[in-house]
Structure formats: structure tokens, C-alpha cells
Amino acid sequence: AQKVTQAQTEISVVEKEDVTLDCVYETRDTTYYLFWYKQPPSGELVFLIRRNSFDEQNEISGRYSWNFQKSTSSFNFTITASQVVDSAVYFCALSEVNTNAGKSTFGDGTTLTVKP
Amino acid sequence: GAGVSQSPSNKVTEKGKDVELRCDPISGHTALYWYRQRLGQGLEFLIYFQGNSAPDKSGLPSDRFSAERTGGSVSTLTIQRTQQEDSAVYLCASSSYLQVASTDTQYFGPGTRLTVL
């Protein structure tokens, strides 16, 4: 069965600090996709990144970076120089290709609060 | 519009009544998904459509829940004989893909907040 674990329920940082959100997943598939979504207080989920299981290169997009390590089944998300607008709930998700095609499993989310 | 839309945005109903939630996906998106998000929790997969068919209904919580999609576009999630435990935000998402397996990015609607009294 597929499972996504976001062990950090809540994180609070002060503006300009760096913060890493952890994501650990379980899957029997060899082909899968991993996602991160942001859910601001307005409630609408916003796509941040998709990574396929064959591409372990780290990715950087502005202040956001992602570290994918298959050996530890982790897909961690780092925000550099955090800002108040980064305050939101962040979800990590997994989509399998073969055994549960079409079904996405989400973690319980990490609530990030960035204080000025 | 350009994004996924859902209606109503809020629905308050009495226990035992039936409700219908509607989702309009992004034009041209062939895949459509329904999720439930209880207060303070993550997303719970309910069902997804590939075109008008639903290959995987395993996420539906009970036989009181059903969903359909017509014309490869609009989808309706119906909850019969609502219970208080059904209170949640129901999110719809759509994605565009050509293969059986859905691996494309899902774009989410704003959700319908259902409150069962």
C-alpha cells in the first residue's frame, strides 16, 4: 500500500530563516510521481512541483528547493529566506503508475507559520 | 473560466438529506478527481474519472456516496442520507493526460464546504 508521512505537524520560524519540510513515502511501484502542494489560508491547493521516480536530481525554483532521495524514500522541501507569505499548509503527495493508477495519496500536511 | 470551479462553495444541510456537489474541470482535461478534507487533516482520495468512466471507486467511504461524469466534463458527487461525519471540504481536481495512468499535475478547485447539522 502507498503511504506518505509528513512527520512535522507544525513548524514556526521567523522571517528570513530557512526551513525544511520532511516527506517520507512508501510504495511498491518502481514508477511513481511525487508532488508538493501549498494550501494557503484561502484554502485552494496550489501545485508546487512534480518529480518522477527516475529523476533524482535536486531542483531549485527561486527560494524553493527539493531534495529527492530514493535510498531513503524521502522528498524534502526547503524554503530559503522564508517570508510571511509562505505561511500555509504544505502537502506532499504520491501517485503510483502501475498498481493504483490515478490514485494520489497525500500526507497529513505540515502547517508552516512564518512570523515577521 | 481558466481554473477548476466547484459549486456550491458552501452547503449546510440537515442530517438525512441528500446533497449534490458539482465540479467543472479545466476545459480539455480528461481526468477528474474528488477528494475529501476533514478539518485539520490531509486529503482523502474518493474517486477519479478517466473520461466518463471511473476505474477506481475504492475510495468512496460508503454506498451513500456516488459520483458521475457526463460528456467528459462536469462531474457530480452525490451524498445520500448525509451524516454529521460527512462534514468536510470536498475538493475536485482535474488533469490532462493521454495514458491510462494519471501522472500529470492536478489542478484543484476551491472546494465545497459541507456542513451536516
Side-chain angles (χ1 to χ4, degrees), chain A residues 27-43:
Chain A
T27 176
R28 287 177 291 190
D29 267 12
T30 55
T31 304
Y32 52 89
Y33 282 75
L34 295 163
F35 302 81
W36 274 96
Y37 291 88
K38 175 182 180 180
Q39 188 175 40
S42 61

Side-chain angles (χ1 to χ4, degrees), chain A:
Chain A
Q2 52 188 344
K3 184 179 178 182
V4 176
T5 301
Q6 293 179 255
Q8 304 147 308
T9 306
E10 295 182 10
I11 300 177
S12 181
V13 298
V14 177
E15 207 169 20
K16 297 185 183 177
E17 284 185 18
D18 298 348
V19 58
T20 295
L21 310 181
D22 297 334
C23 174
V24 174
Y25 61 92
E26 294 176 29
T27 176
R28 287 177 291 190
D29 267 12
T30 55
T31 304
Y32 52 89
Y33 282 75
L34 295 163
F35 302 81
W36 274 96
Y37 291 88
K38 175 182 180 180
Q39 188 175 40
S42 61
E44 195 157 340
L45 275 159
V46 177
F47 163 80
L48 296 179
I49 189 172
R50 179 185 69 174
R51 176 51 51 92
N52 76 54
S53 53
F54 295 115
D55 183 3
E56 289 192 69
Q57 276 194 324
N58 291 334
E59 181 153 343
I60 298 175
S61 176
R63 297 183 297 106
Y64 295 168
S65 63
W66 291 269
N67 181 277
F68 176 30
Q69 293 198 0
K70 267 180 116 169
S71 60
T72 56
S73 297
S74 65
F75 187 43
N76 296 338
F77 172 33
T78 298
I79 302 175
T80 304
S82 60
Q83 301 176 0
V84 173
V85 293
D86 295 328
S87 297
V89 182
Y90 290 86
F91 292 97
C92 179
L94 165 73
S95 279
E96 294 179 338
V97 172
N98 296 321
T99 57
N100 288 293
K103 179 176 180 177
S104 291
T105 299
F106 282 71
D108 289 337
T110 297
T111 300
L112 173 65
T113 302
V114 181
K115 300 177 181 177

Side-chain angles (χ1 to χ4, degrees), chain B residues 7 27 30 38 40 50-51 58 61 75 78 90 104 111:
Chain B
S7 61
S27 178
T30 52
R38 291 198 166 109
Q50 179 187 344
S58 63
S75 176
T78 301
Y90 290 82
D104 209 337

